[in-house]
Amino acid sequence: QLQLVESGGGLVQAGGSLRLSCAASGRTFSRTAMGWSRQAPGKEREFVAAIGWISGVTYYADSVKGRFTISRDIAKNTVYLQMNSLKPEDTAVYYCNADSSLSDIVDRAADYWGQGTQVTVSS
């Protein structure tokens, strides 16, 4: 099937930036959308951003719109999340998602999830 491996998480000060990467491997022929979700301690998983693999159409949660940018490198089977102007509220484990539809990623129902990478933003 499909494997997703995230990288790029870490500790940054408020206002700083991080870029997360997610490398996909295995059977990717049926993957048409990828994205990111996150989960903070004591909170439910939250949709962050999604992108159509071929179309490039993007969707963002209101909480990150204007600060985060999702992109993908088709040749490298990799999706990125550029996070700027980070806030303490962005602290969470970030998960890479893949699915056949953007709507499933937005609804936190993606078929494939990575192991997660921790992002911590200090004030």
Side-chain angles (χ1 to χ4, degrees):
Q1 289 294 326
L2 182 65
Q3 297 181 76
L4 305 173
V5 180
E6 303 100 329
S7 62
L11 173 65
V12 297
Q13 293 181 322
S17 298
L18 284 174
R19 189 177 78 155
L20 306 183
S21 299
C22 174
S25 61
R27 297 178 179 178
T28 62
F29 61 89
S30 62
R31 178 201 65 211
T32 58
M34 295 188 69
W36 297 88
S37 297
R38 66 187 182 185
Q39 186 168 26
K43 299 183 67 176
E44 298 295 319
R45 287 192 177 93
E46 176 188 24
F47 163 73
V48 175
I51 186 168
W53 192 246
I54 301 300
S55 70
V57 174
T58 58
Y59 294 87
Y60 296 94
D62 288 341
S63 60
V64 306
K65 195 172 299 182
R67 299 188 297 120
F68 292 9
T69 302
I70 188 170
S71 62
R72 85 282 196 235
D73 187 326
I74 295 176
K76 295 183 177 180
N77 287 318
T78 300
V79 64
Y80 305 95
L81 185 68
Q82 179 66 46
M83 305 185 294
N84 298 326
S85 302
L86 283 162
K87 306 175 181 179
E89 307 93 270
D90 296 318
T91 296
V93 176
Y94 284 71
Y95 297 93
C96 179
N97 305 138
D99 203 275
S100 59
S101 70
L102 285 165
S103 61
D104 280 350
I105 294 177
V106 173
D107 292 340
R108 297 171 289 119
D111 288 338
Y112 299 94
W113 294 70
Q115 84 287 350
T117 185
Q118 177 71 48
V119 172
T120 302
V121 184
S122 62
S123 60

